[in-house]
């Protein structure tokens, strides 16, 4: 253990790749200055990796389907893979010993720690909270299981996670695990061959509607009666945001009650990059671990795990003895709401008055899609919304940044889309 703590001190003493003020204080406009218009701050352009931007950036050229062929051996089949990504198995699971400090049950950090414990990797790129903050993301190279476990819980804003790669290279480390978002994984896959690694495990987190740190704070100010004491929050599958406070009490807010206009609308709070992102499910990871398709109630902390390739299977087999496996479930019909959603995308409506919101929230919770059907509905809505955003704001980018599977996934809405937008869904 002496060895572990020496490593911990060395890593903690290393200066963050980016100053705290930059991470926490800059607005989106300031932070992305000098970058392409679409940028999720994945970490490539913040330092010496910047020359690789054109070859790696998902917003310069989306190479998702090429990379799928390379790492999964095939592209997405028709059906659920169009939404969930290439997979050989999907499991509902939670840690037998739930880590209540984690975002859900703690599978991700336990797996990262296990890789180090078993000597399968020498480092794990993970994201902890910047000192003195609860939510500001600080990516770093964890060298001990304790360091990985200490990163439990989301820091729910854009994190320049790939900025740690030069440190990996400098340390001569050859066996690595990476925990991160789809845009980061795309860039990592593009440059993987140049990193000189002997082993790379990629554990993916699903991700949508991410934001910058100052905008996360704005969101909490609007969503919560006591933003400073929110210790954990999540957009739950019951159409509510759940916010747990320091004293343990739970505050829940219906999605439909969120005053998005106070945040400048979706386009005022989410970066253009996240509104132009088509990889909610982190399809280029070896193993994706999220919650979207998992059954409720959230207190039971069920998660879902999508095994994408052989390496993902290896990761799943490694953590399996620590897991309790659950049942997949689904109910409802997402297609009912899709038509209305497309109409709303074309002509956004004002927030309804309180009694109508109450009724909508009740309908969503009691009659809306559940389980896997909920996951399909959310992913399709984000694909559609983002397609509309790109066509509206960055029409010239469409061919480069929207992969073909998006049109295949949405094909069943083509008639409604054409009626509303007076153009074809296909480009
Ligand atoms: C910004 C964000 C948005 C997400 N959106 C969705 C979603 O829409 N649907 C869904 O199913 N799942 C989403 N997830 C994943 C989900 O919330 C959980 O993180 C996941 O289920 C793992 O839970 P856990 O308890 O196993 O993780 P834990 O054991 O708590 O580990 C969390 C891991 O997340 C990493 N991490 C934390 N913040 C960041 C960050 N900003 N960037 C990169 N890595 C980070 C840490 O390194 C840590 O290893 C999102 C995660 C994040 C960070
Ligand atoms: S998303 Fe990454 S690669 Fe693309 S411009 Fe931003 S930092 Fe650079
Ligand atoms: S929504 Fe997409 S672009 Fe934005 S941080 Fe998440 S994976 Fe990256």
């Amino acid at each position: 253990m002496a060895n572990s703590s020496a490593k911990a001190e060395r890593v903690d003493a290393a200066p963050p790749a980016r100053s705290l003020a930059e991470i926490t204080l800059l607005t989106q406009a300031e932070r992305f200055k000098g970058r392409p218009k679409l940028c999720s701050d994945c970490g490539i352009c913040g330092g010496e990796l910047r020359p690789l931007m054109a070859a790696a950036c998902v917003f310069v050229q989306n190479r998702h389907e090429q990379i799928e062929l390379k790492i999964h051996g095939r592209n997405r089949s028709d059906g659920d893979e169009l939404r969930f990504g290439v997979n050989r198995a999907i499991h509902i699971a939670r840690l037998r010993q739930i880590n209540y400090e984690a975002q859900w049950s703690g599978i991700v950090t336990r797996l990262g720690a296990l890789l180090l414990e078993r000597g399968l990797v020498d480092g794990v790129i993970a994201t902890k909270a910047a000192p003195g903050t609860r939510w500001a993301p600080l990516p770093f190279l964890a060298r001990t299981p304790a360091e990985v476990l200490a990163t439990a819980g989301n820091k729910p804003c854009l994190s320049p996670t790939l900025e740690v790669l030069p440190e990996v290279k400098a340390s001569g480390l050859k066996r690595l695990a990476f925990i991160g978002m789809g845009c980061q994984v795309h860039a990592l896959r593009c440059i993987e061959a140049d990193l000189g690694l002997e082993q790379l495990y990629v554990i993916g987190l699903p991700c949508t509607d991410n934001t910058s740190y100052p905008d996360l704070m704005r969101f909490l100010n609007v969503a919560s009666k006591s933003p400073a004491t929110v210790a954990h929050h999540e957009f739950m599958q019951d159409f509510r945001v759940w916010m747990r406070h320091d004293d343990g009490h739970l505050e829940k807010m219906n999605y439909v009650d969120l005053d998005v206009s106070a945040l400048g609308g979706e386009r005022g709070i989410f970066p253009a990059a996240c509104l132009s992102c088509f990889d909610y499910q982190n399809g280029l990871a070896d193993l994706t671990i999220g919650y979207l398709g998992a059954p409720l109630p959230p207190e039971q902390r069920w998660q879902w795990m999508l095994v994408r390739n052989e390496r993902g299977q290896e990761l799943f087999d490694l953590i399996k003895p620590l897991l309790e496996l659950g049942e997949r479930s689904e109910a409802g019909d997402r297609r009912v709401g899709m038509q209305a959603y497309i109409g709303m995308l074309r002509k956004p409506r004002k927030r309804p008055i309180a009694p109508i919101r109450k009724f909508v929230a009740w309908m969503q919770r009691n009659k809306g899609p559940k389980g896997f059907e909920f996951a399909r509905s959310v992913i399709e809505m984000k694909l559609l919304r983002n397609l509309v955003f790109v066509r509206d704001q960055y029409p010239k980018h469409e061919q480069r940044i929207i992969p073909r599977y998006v049109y295949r996934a949405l094909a069943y809405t083509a008639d409604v889309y054409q009626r509303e937008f007076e153009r074809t869904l296909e480009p």
Side-chain angles (χ1 to χ4, degrees), residues 5-21:
S5 62
K7 277 182 185 164
E9 271 168 33
R10 185 176 48 71
V11 173
D12 282 346
R18 198 181 274 256
S19 76
L20 184 59

Side-chain angles (χ1 to χ4, degrees), residues 102-109 126-127 137 151-157 159 161 179-181 184 205-208 210 234 280 289-292 303:
Q103 189 66 20
W104 283 80
S105 78
I107 301 177
V108 168
T109 35
T127 303
T151 71
N154 290 355
K155 275 55 73 178
C157 32
S159 168
T161 308
I179 300 169
M181 307 318 205
Q184 300 160 357
L205 301 175
C207 177
T208 186
N210 211 342
E234 191 66 274
Y280 189 138
I289 306 176
Y291 68 89
L292 193 69
Q303 299 181 253

Side-chain angles (χ1 to χ4, degrees), residues 280-312:
Y280 189 138
Q281 278 306 104
N282 211 323
L284 302 178
D286 297 318
L287 177 67
T288 298
I289 306 176
Y291 68 89
L292 193 69
L296 293 171
E299 294 92 326
Q300 293 185 0
R301 309 258 180 157
W302 289 109
Q303 299 181 253
W304 74 336
M305 305 173 74
L306 296 95
V307 180
R308 304 202 179 280
N309 55 26
E310 210 164 300
R311 189 149 301 205

Side-chain angles (χ1 to χ4, degrees), residues 102-409:
Q103 189 66 20
W104 283 80
S105 78
I107 301 177
V108 168
T109 35
R110 195 69 202 85
L111 180 55
L114 206 52
L115 283 164
L116 282 164
E117 278 165 25
R118 298 284 164 86
L120 292 165
V121 299
D122 307 307
V124 178
I125 295 184
T127 303
K128 60 184 173 184
T133 78
R134 220 195 276 262
W135 309 114
L138 186 59
F140 82 120
L141 180 60
R143 300 294 293 270
T144 66
E147 285 176 336
V148 183
L149 291 171
T151 71
N154 290 355
K155 275 55 73 178
C157 32
L158 299 174
S159 168
T161 308
L162 295 170
E163 265 180 22
V164 179
L165 285 176
E167 188 190 333
V168 173
K169 199 169 174 193
S171 65
L173 197 140
K174 296 285 179 207
R175 298 175 312 153
L176 181 72
F178 177 85
I179 300 169
M181 307 318 205
C183 52
Q184 300 160 357
V185 172
H186 179 283
L188 177 64
R189 292 300 193 191
C190 288
I191 62 171
E192 183 178 346
D194 304 324
L195 297 175
L197 297 171
E198 288 161 9
Q199 197 69 274
L200 174 65
Y201 294 97
V202 179
I203 303 166
L205 301 175
C207 177
T208 186
D209 298 350
N210 211 342
T211 194
S212 65
Y213 181 79
D215 283 335
L216 169 71
M217 295 294 121
R218 277 202 310 129
F219 162 77
L220 288 175
N221 278 326
V222 167
S224 173
K225 293 190 180 98
S226 170
T229 60
V230 176
H232 178 280
H233 69 277
E234 191 66 274
F235 284 76
M236 293 297 183
Q237 307 94 310
D238 66 353
F239 299 89
R240 290 185 285 194
V241 187
W242 288 41
M243 293 166 277
R244 198 178 65 238
H245 289 265
D246 286 328
D247 64 3
H249 91 270
L250 260 180
E251 188 184 4
K252 298 178 193 174
M253 181 184 252
N254 297 320
Y255 290 173
V256 67
D257 284 330
L258 269 175
D259 188 1
V260 183
S261 64
L263 299 165
E266 286 191 327
R267 295 184 183 189
I269 184 92
F270 304 132
C274 297
L275 292 170
S276 309
C277 170
F278 298 91
D279 187 18
Y280 189 138
Q281 278 306 104
N282 211 323
L284 302 178
D286 297 318
L287 177 67
T288 298
I289 306 176
Y291 68 89
L292 193 69
L296 293 171
E299 294 92 326
Q300 293 185 0
R301 309 258 180 157
W302 289 109
Q303 299 181 253
W304 74 336
M305 305 173 74
L306 296 95
V307 180
R308 304 202 179 280
N309 55 26
E310 210 164 300
R311 189 149 301 205
Q313 186 64 48
E314 198 187 321
L315 288 169
F316 181 76
D317 291 342
L318 185 68
I319 190 87
K320 194 174 168 197
L322 304 184
L323 297 179
E324 177 187 353
L325 295 181
E327 297 287 322
R328 67 184 264 179
S329 62
E330 61 179 89
D333 182 355
R334 73 193 185 285
R335 287 168 297 186
V336 176
M338 247 3 217
Q339 187 160 341
Y341 184 68
I342 295 173
M344 214 183 62
L345 282 176
R346 188 185 57 80
K347 200 164 175 244
R349 286 182 224 128
K350 282 204 181 121
R351 197 163 69 125
I353 53 170
I356 295 183
R357 294 204 305 271
K358 201 171 168 189
F359 174 70
V360 172
W362 185 90
M363 285 294 285
Q364 286 179 325
R365 249 198 319 284
N366 293 287
K367 308 281 178 197
K370 296 187 174 55
F372 274 40
E373 188 68 354
F374 176 81
R376 292 182 195 108
S377 95
V378 172
I379 293 171
E380 282 175 3
M381 283 182 181
K382 303 297 177 185
L383 292 179
L384 252 171
R385 183 200 62 185
N386 292 8
L387 172 75
V388 169
F389 177 78
V390 170
R391 286 186 167 175
D392 186 32
Q393 296 292 308
Y394 300 96
K396 289 190 183 138
H397 288 41
E398 177 167 351
Q399 268 207 314
R400 285 191 284 112
I401 67 171
I402 305 189
R404 290 296 312 164
Y405 64 76
V406 174
Y407 306 101
R408 289 169 62 210

